[in-house]
Amino acid sequence: MEKINVVNLTKIFGSHQEKALRLLDKGISKDEIFNKTGQIVGLADINFTISQGEILVVMGLSGSGKSTLIRCINRLVEPSKGQVFINGTDISTLDRNALLELRRQKFGMVFQHFALFPHRNVLDNVAFGLEIQRMDEELRYEKARSALKLVGLEDWEVAKPSQLSGGMQQRVGLARALAVEPDILLMDEAFSALDPLIRGDMQNELLTLQARMHKTILFITHDLDEALKIGNRVVLMKDGQIVQIGTPEEIVLSPANEYVQKFIENVDKSKILTARSILISTDIIASPTDSPQAIFTNMQDNCLTRILVVKSDNTLLGTVSMEGIQIAISRNEQTIANLIETDVPTATINDSLKILISILAEWRWQLPIVNEQHKLLGIVNHHNVLAALK
Amino acid sequence: MEDIPKLPLDHWIDDGLDFLTDNFSFLTKIVSRHLEDGIDHIVEGLMYFPPWVMIIIFALIAWRLASYKMGIFTVLGLSLLWNLRLWESTMETLTLVIVATFIAILIAIPTGILAAVSKLANRIIMPLMDLMQTMPAFVYLIPAIPFFGLGTVSAIFSTVIFAMPPTIRLTCLGIKQVSPELVEAADAFGSTKTQKLFKVQLPLAIPTIMAGINQTIMLALSMVVIAAMIGAGGLGGEVWTAIQRLKPGMGFQAGIAIVILAIILDRITQKIGRGRVA
Ligand SMILES: Nc1ncnc2c1ncn2[C@@H]1O[C@H](COP(=O)(O)OP(=O)(O)OP(=O)(O)O)[C@@H](O)[C@H]1O
Ligand SMILES: [Mg+2]
């Protein structure tokens, strides 16, 4: 289901927008428009959708328009052109009260520099959104407490924000956003001000929370690693325009242009790419009912020392080795059923190359990839894992 | 220059003031009478207790709100004033300062808020502030008399006008100084303008506003002394009498009393402002 739909969204900063809009339509660049008209292009013709439960990460360098974009979603910034639909409602049609109501009910926002209220203690910070909704005190604090618990800060209720570390402050910021039980979380560089270690923790925590809450999250960052780690899909922006939009794997595997290419050069691909993208299908398999002699021939033809054994419904049973086959032939057995070694490691198509590498390091042979029913989907081997990381 | 006829600016202002006096002085006179009664009651109230009781009370306030040192200073300072037979004048002056400050704050804070949230209001209020602050203080005394008559109320009126600007300015500044990120956070959660003002902007502006109030109190004290010229009495009255009778000793004695009062008021209100920051 589409939660957020952004259509032809354009934002010009300045007092003579008409002229800038016309130049923009002609395809004139942001810099040139600024030179000619003094108007700053914040966003130029942005289109994308976010579905319910998805984490969409917007990534771009400073000044690329990320903050402007996220603020157009809850109309903290008024778009110059185009629409934003939330649950199908065009929010530019809302009057002042309806807009306030929308912000109160639907959105939770987390800020780069936390934006905690220094005159309020942690609990009252977290309860802020509920207070704005005019919720009565008892219920408000109850909800704020459970939000604090979500981020593990239940013991810090009465502390002032200034008494907390950066990481803790941002947890409070996150709790404040979660307390209103929003459908949509807007996170503008929420982790950018944190130390790398704390930042990694917060990313993991967000993913853990998300696995439970299934919010729709628009996450802004200028860090591609963060984008690829957190995002179900990633939007790459430059000068107010979208350069590429896709899953982390799509972006890493097929960068849209040189600009993206340069970005992903330093990315640790082993964390992004999954077995899905390097999977090799294989038909060199044995069935448990095959005769050892037939398998022996098959293996010799393909120079194999070991072969996967798969039932007729494609369920992976294990492997047999060349030695096993030879023993079976010498004993004159009819099938290989008794020789199957079941201790073969497996992986799923969603496992990252990093995981595959750690398995392959121990297992000196190809690695079968299976689905939840343990049916064989294909294999990966040392060679194609390394090739993908090249 | 002599050939060009003089602009009758003084006549215009007089005419304007005359018009206002003719039409509104009946009202201002009523206000004046009641205010004067009220002030008399406050002074009577302060004089009801023997000075040593009041000294202890003031010292306790100074100790709690400022420091124990300030408490000791208050005891010593006020005892000296009592001994110099200036107790009643001091209480009169204190009353004038408190009443004038109170009225000034009552007007200044809403005005400051208005100047902070409305560009139009800002463009009207700020030049007026400049005018009010650069105009010599004495000038306010003259038009006060036709409206409120000679005496304390005229003094308070001119004091309020003279002492208001710092609180207006600093209220406005304090609100505008609130970090845009915090204002944005308030907006993002769907605050109305009023909610934003009372839950975020004003609380965060309090230290700055308190600094303004401190300034207002100091200005009020200085103006109340000047206002003795139109019969405000109090310590200023002592100074004024000393001038007229050419008695430097008497003048300095009252001057020292004013300084002591100023120090006590200043330190107490300063500390209140800073206390809120922490
Ligand atoms: N209020 C404003 N008035 C004028 N120009 C603005 C305003 N806000 C943003 N801009 C301009 O719009 C462009 C996009 O700014 P934006 O803040 O959205 O970038 P960003 O990607 O969030 O950058 P950063 O990583 O630095 O936060 C920039 O060129 C900026 O100068
Ligand atoms: Mg930004």
Side-chain angles (χ1 to χ4, degrees), chain A residues 29-101:
Chain A
S29 77
K30 169 174 172 162
D31 289 349
E32 228 173 300
I33 291 179
F34 179 69
N35 262 333
K36 282 192 179 151
T37 66
Q39 311 293 294
I40 298 172
V41 178
L43 296 172
D45 204 23
I46 302 288
N47 290 281
F48 64 82
T49 62
I50 312 181
S51 31
Q52 156 64 36
E54 185 183 22
I55 304 184
L56 185 83
V57 178
V58 175
M59 188 267 155
L61 297 180
S62 188
S64 57
K66 310 179 297 288
S67 296
T68 309
L69 174 60
I70 204 169
R71 280 159 181 72
C72 282
I73 305 292
N74 60 358
R75 255 178 82 189
L76 284 177
V77 169
E78 290 285 346
S80 308
K81 224 180 90 182
Q83 286 98 35
V84 174
F85 295 90
I86 305 291
N87 293 330
T89 310
D90 178 356
I91 62 164
S92 64
T93 62
L94 299 178
D95 63 16
R96 175 95 197 142
N97 283 331
L99 179 63
L100 290 186
E101 209 44 46

Side-chain angles (χ1 to χ4, degrees), chain A residues 71 76 100 103-104 109 111-113 115-119 128-129 131-132 134 176, chain B residues 181-193 195-196 199-200 203-204 278:
Chain A
R71 280 159 181 72
L76 284 177
L100 290 186
R103 287 181 187 159
R104 288 176 187 182
M109 194 159 180
F111 299 84
Q112 176 171 9
H113 301 291
L116 300 179
F117 302 114
H119 60 295
F128 182 80
E131 197 177 318
I132 294 302
R134 305 194 168 87
R176 179 174 65 179
Chain B
E181 216 185 13
L182 294 181
V183 175
E184 191 171 53
D187 282 330
F189 284 97
S191 308
T192 61
K193 280 188 177 157
Q195 285 176 324
K196 191 163 64 179
K199 290 183 194 295
V200 177
L204 289 171

